[in-house]
Amino acid sequence: MKIDKNKIADHNGQFRESFDRDFGFVAENLSRKGIDVEKVVMKVSEFQVAVPSWALGAGGTRFGRFSYGGEPASLEQKLNDIGVLNDLTRTAGAVSLHIPWDTPKDVKAIKEVAASHGISFDAMNSNTFQDQPEAEKSYKFGSLNNTDPAIRDFAVQHNIDVINIGKELGSKSLTVWLADGASFPGQLNFQNALQNTQKSLQGIYKHLPDDWRIFIEYKPYEPNFYSTTIQDWGTSFMLANACGEKAYTLVDLGHHLPNTNIEQIVATLMLKGKLGGFHFNDSKYGDDDLTVGSIKPYALFLIFNELVYGMENNPQNPNLAWMIDASHNIKDPLEDLLQSLEAILIAYAQALLIDQKELREAQEQNDVVKCQEILQEAYRTDVRPILMAARKKAGAALHPITAYRDFQVRKSLIKERGTKNMATGL
Ligand code: LRH
Ligand code: MN
């Protein structure tokens, strides 16, 4: 399903007046502060987020899963759905594949489908947290950290296979997240587990093409509930350094214990040139994988403040990989992803409004009140007209969710695919 640009332009027509008024207001407001709104619009339109191939169907928990009708039953259909997101936003120009959930059966055909939607292949994701049917080895007691060298080798080989698939698709990075750990005290020798993991990662790293990167994703718990071998940013940072200059840390917003200061972690990793990318989502308690900005939008804004500062002041840190990692238990997956894309761009646009120079001066003078005022002035600015301007420039929808509903996309997906499909993934 491709949504014709003219159909979108027609749909935008009804919002022309309100858009011109609202954009005029924010443009005038910002120019009074010496901010060139067109520069912000340009940066926002250049911001592309990769959509996870594993989050295009209804997610679930151990307590149940409620199917959504019209779910994609193949990688082709998943790319078509990301195509819809990209037609409506021109922000979803990449996909992050999870192997083997979404192994392309025909690489050439898949590349053509992706290209037809203007979608590139971002980070590949390996999976050594589930046993595949007929698999000769089990990851029940870990993969890269396993006490059995044969199982470690089996897991390393899987990652090498994922790199090879990615090379054919044109991807340039691999994300490694490990469920490895323990659920009971005494079950695991922490030092042995960490050393095994490091050696295994170095084994994978040896097979990384020169122009590739490896992202090491950390997580404090789940599915193991006592220890996770790569539990926090420090462990991931240490392992990335042990691997080499092509290895980086990946920050999944849901992988932090309550009240963790994630923006400080971001600042630290950028200063050290070891921040590789993000898995955007939101959470109230655990790794809830909720819609981005739905629970803690101010925290997301503070993270983007550190990202904007880092992108201006840390040339030692490479361009970041922006990805969503969410699971949709009760919302239409495509509407949920449209909301997440909007929330990411809102936080980025607000952070671009922060006068970083003025903030640095206030920080140097320990003018605590002024520091907060500078941040909240930006946070309290309604930047949605700026996002609309960026979408309008790109031929996308001023109001993507309204357009998605008015175009009855879900209805036509159900008509085309029925209600029985169950998408692979979370
Ligand atoms: C682990 C994780 C990881 C993916 C998985 C789907 O919680 O965030 O990024 O492999 O979700
Ligand atoms: Mn993740």
mmCIF file of all heavy atoms in Angstrom, residues 54 98 101 125-126 129 175 177 217 219 222 250 252 255 279 281 287 289 325 426, ligand 1:
data_model
loop_
_atom_site.group_PDB
_atom_site.id
_atom_site.type_symbol
_atom_site.label_atom_id
_atom_site.label_comp_id
_atom_site.label_asym_id
_atom_site.label_seq_id
_atom_site.Cartn_x
_atom_site.Cartn_y
_atom_site.Cartn_z
ATOM 1 N N TRP A 54 10.165 -5.884 14.382
ATOM 2 C CA TRP A 54 9.475 -6.755 15.337
ATOM 3 C C TRP A 54 8.322 -6.039 16.046
ATOM 4 O O TRP A 54 7.725 -6.606 16.973
ATOM 5 C CB TRP A 54 10.477 -7.294 16.383
ATOM 6 C CG TRP A 54 11.169 -6.262 17.215
ATOM 7 C CD1 TRP A 54 10.752 -5.770 18.417
ATOM 8 C CD2 TRP A 54 12.387 -5.597 16.925
ATOM 9 N NE1 TRP A 54 11.641 -4.846 18.892
ATOM 10 C CE2 TRP A 54 12.656 -4.713 18.003
ATOM 11 C CE3 TRP A 54 13.299 -5.654 15.872
ATOM 12 C CZ2 TRP A 54 13.788 -3.902 18.029
ATOM 13 C CZ3 TRP A 54 14.429 -4.853 15.899
ATOM 14 C CH2 TRP A 54 14.666 -3.996 16.979
ATOM 15 N N HIS A 98 15.224 -7.956 12.734
ATOM 16 C CA HIS A 98 15.590 -8.880 13.816
ATOM 17 C C HIS A 98 15.658 -10.286 13.219
ATOM 18 O O HIS A 98 14.700 -10.741 12.596
ATOM 19 C CB HIS A 98 14.533 -8.827 14.924
ATOM 20 C CG HIS A 98 15.103 -8.916 16.301
ATOM 21 N ND1 HIS A 98 15.808 -10.006 16.739
ATOM 22 C CD2 HIS A 98 15.091 -8.029 17.323
ATOM 23 C CE1 HIS A 98 16.189 -9.803 17.993
ATOM 24 N NE2 HIS A 98 15.774 -8.613 18.369
ATOM 25 N N TRP A 101 13.620 -13.653 13.310
ATOM 26 C CA TRP A 101 12.208 -13.303 13.163
ATOM 27 C C TRP A 101 11.912 -12.803 11.747
ATOM 28 O O TRP A 101 10.870 -13.097 11.187
ATOM 29 C CB TRP A 101 11.819 -12.201 14.142
ATOM 30 C CG TRP A 101 11.730 -12.641 15.581
ATOM 31 C CD1 TRP A 101 11.514 -13.903 16.048
ATOM 32 C CD2 TRP A 101 11.859 -11.798 16.723
ATOM 33 N NE1 TRP A 101 11.494 -13.889 17.427
ATOM 34 C CE2 TRP A 101 11.710 -12.619 17.862
ATOM 35 C CE3 TRP A 101 12.066 -10.412 16.898
ATOM 36 C CZ2 TRP A 101 11.771 -12.114 19.157
ATOM 37 C CZ3 TRP A 101 12.119 -9.904 18.193
ATOM 38 C CH2 TRP A 101 11.977 -10.747 19.304
ATOM 39 N N ASN A 125 19.667 -6.953 14.111
ATOM 40 C CA ASN A 125 19.595 -7.446 15.487
ATOM 41 C C ASN A 125 19.712 -8.963 15.500
ATOM 42 O O ASN A 125 18.953 -9.643 14.808
ATOM 43 C CB ASN A 125 18.268 -7.046 16.125
ATOM 44 C CG ASN A 125 18.104 -5.544 16.235
ATOM 45 O OD1 ASN A 125 18.409 -4.948 17.258
ATOM 46 N ND2 ASN A 125 17.653 -4.933 15.143
ATOM 47 N N SER A 126 20.665 -9.486 16.287
ATOM 48 C CA SER A 126 20.785 -10.936 16.433
ATOM 49 C C SER A 126 19.867 -11.404 17.561
ATOM 50 O O SER A 126 19.360 -10.594 18.340
ATOM 51 C CB SER A 126 22.237 -11.315 16.764
ATOM 52 O OG SER A 126 22.640 -10.642 17.958
ATOM 53 N N PHE A 129 18.505 -15.169 22.435
ATOM 54 C CA PHE A 129 17.713 -15.269 23.663
ATOM 55 C C PHE A 129 16.540 -16.243 23.487
ATOM 56 O O PHE A 129 15.763 -16.439 24.413
ATOM 57 C CB PHE A 129 17.199 -13.886 24.107
ATOM 58 C CG PHE A 129 16.524 -13.064 23.046
ATOM 59 C CD1 PHE A 129 15.169 -13.213 22.770
ATOM 60 C CD2 PHE A 129 17.243 -12.129 22.303
ATOM 61 C CE1 PHE A 129 14.541 -12.451 21.799
ATOM 62 C CE2 PHE A 129 16.629 -11.344 21.333
ATOM 63 C CZ PHE A 129 15.270 -11.502 21.088
ATOM 64 N N THR A 175 23.299 -4.839 16.232
ATOM 65 C CA THR A 175 22.979 -4.639 17.654
ATOM 66 C C THR A 175 22.959 -5.998 18.343
ATOM 67 O O THR A 175 22.302 -6.924 17.866
ATOM 68 C CB THR A 175 21.620 -3.946 17.831
ATOM 69 O OG1 THR A 175 21.682 -2.626 17.293
ATOM 70 C CG2 THR A 175 21.244 -3.857 19.303
ATOM 71 N N TRP A 177 21.937 -7.605 21.829
ATOM 72 C CA TRP A 177 21.346 -7.581 23.174
ATOM 73 C C TRP A 177 21.306 -9.023 23.687
ATOM 74 O O TRP A 177 20.877 -9.915 22.965
ATOM 75 C CB TRP A 177 19.930 -7.021 23.193
ATOM 76 C CG TRP A 177 19.306 -7.285 24.515
ATOM 77 C CD1 TRP A 177 19.656 -6.703 25.703
ATOM 78 C CD2 TRP A 177 18.301 -8.245 24.853
ATOM 79 N NE1 TRP A 177 18.919 -7.222 26.732
ATOM 80 C CE2 TRP A 177 18.071 -8.168 26.225
ATOM 81 C CE3 TRP A 177 17.554 -9.144 24.082
ATOM 82 C CZ2 TRP A 177 17.147 -8.970 26.884
ATOM 83 C CZ3 TRP A 177 16.622 -9.949 24.724
ATOM 84 C CH2 TRP A 177 16.425 -9.867 26.115
ATOM 85 N N GLU A 217 23.913 -3.526 23.616
ATOM 86 C CA GLU A 217 22.741 -3.023 24.346
ATOM 87 C C GLU A 217 22.707 -3.625 25.750
ATOM 88 O O GLU A 217 22.833 -4.839 25.905
ATOM 89 C CB GLU A 217 21.463 -3.393 23.588
ATOM 90 C CG GLU A 217 20.180 -2.850 24.197
ATOM 91 C CD GLU A 217 18.945 -3.206 23.355
ATOM 92 O OE1 GLU A 217 19.113 -3.884 22.309
ATOM 93 O OE2 GLU A 217 17.829 -2.820 23.749
ATOM 94 N N LYS A 219 20.870 -4.076 29.760
ATOM 95 C CA LYS A 219 19.535 -4.152 30.357
ATOM 96 C C LYS A 219 19.665 -4.714 31.768
ATOM 97 O O LYS A 219 20.377 -5.698 31.960
ATOM 98 C CB LYS A 219 18.621 -5.052 29.505
ATOM 99 C CG LYS A 219 17.194 -5.152 29.974
ATOM 100 C CD LYS A 219 16.344 -5.957 28.996
ATOM 101 C CE LYS A 219 14.903 -6.038 29.446
ATOM 102 N NZ LYS A 219 14.028 -6.750 28.466
ATOM 103 N N GLU A 222 15.207 -9.122 33.205
ATOM 104 C CA GLU A 222 14.244 -9.682 32.249
ATOM 105 C C GLU A 222 14.928 -10.039 30.927
ATOM 106 O O GLU A 222 15.476 -9.123 30.291
ATOM 107 C CB GLU A 222 13.089 -8.692 31.951
ATOM 108 C CG GLU A 222 11.961 -9.361 31.142
ATOM 109 C CD GLU A 222 11.149 -8.365 30.333
ATOM 110 O OE1 GLU A 222 11.744 -7.409 29.814
ATOM 111 O OE2 GLU A 222 9.919 -8.548 30.219
ATOM 112 N N LEU A 250 24.632 0.969 23.193
ATOM 113 C CA LEU A 250 23.287 1.337 22.742
ATOM 114 C C LEU A 250 22.394 1.538 23.956
ATOM 115 O O LEU A 250 22.354 0.689 24.852
ATOM 116 C CB LEU A 250 22.695 0.268 21.827
ATOM 117 C CG LEU A 250 21.336 0.639 21.211
ATOM 118 C CD1 LEU A 250 21.283 0.276 19.738
ATOM 119 C CD2 LEU A 250 20.191 -0.006 21.952
ATOM 120 N N ASP A 252 18.782 1.740 25.370
ATOM 121 C CA ASP A 252 17.345 1.496 25.237
ATOM 122 C C ASP A 252 16.707 2.173 26.440
ATOM 123 O O ASP A 252 17.019 1.829 27.581
ATOM 124 C CB ASP A 252 17.042 -0.007 25.219
ATOM 125 C CG ASP A 252 15.568 -0.327 25.016
ATOM 126 O OD1 ASP A 252 14.734 0.311 25.704
ATOM 127 O OD2 ASP A 252 15.246 -1.198 24.190
ATOM 128 N N HIS A 255 15.572 0.307 29.551
ATOM 129 C CA HIS A 255 16.533 -0.594 30.218
ATOM 130 C C HIS A 255 17.263 0.097 31.360
ATOM 131 O O HIS A 255 18.502 0.017 31.469
ATOM 132 C CB HIS A 255 17.530 -1.138 29.184
ATOM 133 C CG HIS A 255 16.897 -2.044 28.179
ATOM 134 N ND1 HIS A 255 17.613 -2.700 27.208
ATOM 135 C CD2 HIS A 255 15.596 -2.375 27.966
ATOM 136 C CE1 HIS A 255 16.799 -3.434 26.476
ATOM 137 N NE2 HIS A 255 15.562 -3.244 26.904
ATOM 138 N N HIS A 279 17.368 3.010 21.367
ATOM 139 C CA HIS A 279 16.065 2.349 21.201
ATOM 140 C C HIS A 279 15.087 3.202 21.976
ATOM 141 O O HIS A 279 15.117 3.227 23.206
ATOM 142 C CB HIS A 279 16.100 0.919 21.755
ATOM 143 C CG HIS A 279 16.689 -0.072 20.810
ATOM 144 N ND1 HIS A 279 16.801 -1.398 21.116
ATOM 145 C CD2 HIS A 279 17.196 0.056 19.558
ATOM 146 C CE1 HIS A 279 17.336 -2.052 20.094
ATOM 147 N NE2 HIS A 279 17.585 -1.194 19.139
ATOM 148 N N ASN A 281 11.561 4.421 23.465
ATOM 149 C CA ASN A 281 10.266 3.942 23.942
ATOM 150 C C ASN A 281 10.008 4.698 25.248
ATOM 151 O O ASN A 281 10.715 5.653 25.561
ATOM 152 C CB ASN A 281 10.276 2.419 24.186
ATOM 153 C CG ASN A 281 11.493 1.997 24.994
ATOM 154 O OD1 ASN A 281 11.733 2.518 26.082
ATOM 155 N ND2 ASN A 281 12.288 1.076 24.438
ATOM 156 N N ASP A 287 10.697 -2.619 31.622
ATOM 157 C CA ASP A 287 10.911 -2.464 30.182
ATOM 158 C C ASP A 287 9.561 -2.551 29.480
ATOM 159 O O ASP A 287 9.286 -3.462 28.708
ATOM 160 C CB ASP A 287 11.862 -3.563 29.680
ATOM 161 C CG ASP A 287 12.252 -3.343 28.212
ATOM 162 O OD1 ASP A 287 12.104 -2.199 27.740
ATOM 163 O OD2 ASP A 287 12.661 -4.320 27.568
ATOM 164 N N ASP A 289 8.164 -0.855 27.151
ATOM 165 C CA ASP A 289 8.093 -0.646 25.695
ATOM 166 C C ASP A 289 6.843 0.118 25.258
ATOM 167 O O ASP A 289 6.219 -0.219 24.251
ATOM 168 C CB ASP A 289 8.165 -2.001 24.982
ATOM 169 C CG ASP A 289 9.606 -2.503 24.889
ATOM 170 O OD1 ASP A 289 10.514 -1.682 25.095
ATOM 171 O OD2 ASP A 289 9.803 -3.694 24.610
ATOM 172 N N ASP A 325 12.045 1.036 19.692
ATOM 173 C CA ASP A 325 11.896 -0.352 20.150
ATOM 174 C C ASP A 325 10.699 -0.367 21.079
ATOM 175 O O ASP A 325 10.819 0.022 22.238
ATOM 176 C CB ASP A 325 13.157 -0.838 20.877
ATOM 177 C CG ASP A 325 13.030 -2.306 21.298
ATOM 178 O OD1 ASP A 325 11.959 -2.898 21.038
ATOM 179 O OD2 ASP A 325 13.977 -2.842 21.879
ATOM 180 N N LEU A 426 7.865 -9.286 18.913
ATOM 181 C CA LEU A 426 7.416 -9.202 20.309
ATOM 182 C C LEU A 426 5.914 -9.025 20.417
ATOM 183 O O LEU A 426 5.333 -8.344 19.593
ATOM 184 C CB LEU A 426 8.093 -8.007 20.993
ATOM 185 C CG LEU A 426 9.537 -8.215 21.417
ATOM 186 C CD1 LEU A 426 10.000 -7.020 22.216
ATOM 187 C CD2 LEU A 426 9.665 -9.485 22.238
HETATM 188 C C1 LRH B 1 15.367 -6.384 24.769
HETATM 189 C C2 LRH B 1 15.181 -5.532 23.525
HETATM 190 C C3 LRH B 1 16.237 -5.731 22.463
HETATM 191 C C4 LRH B 1 15.561 -6.500 21.369
HETATM 192 C C5 LRH B 1 14.319 -6.942 21.966
HETATM 193 C C6 LRH B 1 13.256 -7.124 20.950
HETATM 194 O O1 LRH B 1 14.446 -6.008 25.758
HETATM 195 O O2 LRH B 1 15.051 -4.206 23.896
HETATM 196 O O3 LRH B 1 16.563 -4.528 21.868
HETATM 197 O O4 LRH B 1 16.322 -7.457 20.828
HETATM 198 O O5 LRH B 1 13.980 -5.960 22.912
#
